[in-house]
Amino acid sequence: MKRYTTAALLTAAICVLLTAGCEDMNAKNTNRGGTYKSPQPVHFTLGIEQDGKKLPVDKLTHSVRLRKKPFKIVFYFEKMSSMLVQASFEPTLVRKAQAGESMDQIIRQDGTIVEDLLNPNFTLYVSREGLYHNWLYFGPKTHRFDADKGVQEIPEKEGGGYYCVRTVQQLDEDGQSLTIEDCPENKIYLLFFKVDRVPGSQRLAERQRDWLVLDFAE
């Protein structure tokens, strides 16, 4: 009986993520509905998992169909740094990102959502005003992904990088907590900015952006 190492299983999971999620994050062609073209090189890929299965993401529309029940946002990072994540029930900010507006014009510079480390409440904060998560990583116990295997390092011999998971079981809209089942809308627009801090300053430099439209089935 053939045995597989944890690293090999993670590598296989990443391969699924690359094909079931947003497969070509570095595409040079213009995306449908926008003009933004991803910068070189690719720093991350992402996808959605529900009921233990990776869900297919339409590469042209960046949309994924899922049920109104808990789900996971899964990432593969080339290297760890901050990931700014904005969620809204409206497409306004995603459209600005598609149109190529700068990150500073899309999300509020004073808009970081205060949340605990290790994702203890499994909450996604939804804001129409540009408030955003900072899913950072400073060490094995100092990050905002899941506490239980939310960050797994891939050995260099398996390609390197990190496989990260953020579980979402509830929403917070302007201080009101809702279960996913009670989400009042049928779409959530997610916007992602991978950033690095500019040496010697407090400024964040964008390295890559992407977006997902969560399209909840009736």
Side-chain angles (χ1 to χ4, degrees), residues 24-198:
D24 191 359
M25 296 295 100
N26 210 28
K28 296 182 179 180
N29 295 328
T30 300
N31 292 308
R32 181 191 301 171
T35 59
Y36 180 77
K37 299 177 182 179
S38 298
Q40 301 281 348
V42 174
H43 294 275
F44 72 92
T45 59
L46 59 92
I48 298 294
E49 180 180 298
Q50 192 172 63
D51 294 330
K53 299 178 180 179
K54 303 294 191 303
L55 302 182
V57 178
D58 187 298
K59 292 187 290 182
L60 293 177
T61 64
H62 291 224
S63 63
V64 56
R65 294 277 287 175
L66 68 165
R67 296 289 183 182
K68 279 189 178 180
K69 56 191 301 186
F71 60 90
K72 296 180 179 181
I73 307 175
V74 292
F75 301 88
Y76 171 75
F77 293 111
E78 180 185 69
K79 65 177 183 178
M80 297 299 291
S81 63
S82 290
M83 169 70 84
L84 309 187
V85 183
Q86 205 283 329
S88 177
F89 290 137
E90 299 176 352
T92 304
L93 298 182
V94 165
R95 288 174 179 168
K96 288 184 177 183
Q98 290 174 330
E101 292 193 26
S102 70
M103 182 178 70
D104 294 345
Q105 294 175 308
I106 298 172
I107 58 176
R108 289 172 44 179
Q109 296 307 292
D110 62 344
T112 306
I113 295 165
V114 178
E115 56 181 318
D116 294 328
L117 298 172
L118 303 178
N119 191 28
N121 300 316
F122 304 110
T123 299
L124 180 69
Y125 292 83
V126 182
S127 169
R128 293 176 171 83
E129 305 300 326
L131 301 179
Y132 62 89
H133 300 257
N134 184 350
W135 293 350
L136 51 78
Y137 178 87
F138 291 137
K141 298 295 183 181
T142 312
H143 59 77
R144 292 198 174 114
F145 300 98
D146 289 358
D148 183 17
K149 297 182 179 180
V151 176
Q152 299 185 60
E153 186 172 1
I154 310 302
E156 286 297 326
K157 65 181 181 180
E158 301 289 345
Y162 297 83
Y163 186 71
C164 301
V165 179
R166 171 91 179 199
T167 298
V168 178
Q169 294 183 354
Q170 63 180 351
L171 305 174
D172 184 298
E173 183 187 17
D174 300 325
Q176 179 182 5
S177 294
L178 302 166
T179 65
I180 299 296
E181 291 84 351
D182 292 330
C183 178
E185 304 291 340
N186 289 325
K187 292 183 187 292
I188 298 178
Y189 298 85
L190 295 176
L191 186 55
F192 304 86
F193 292 100
K194 190 74 163 61
V195 297
D196 287 321
R197 190 169 299 280
V198 177

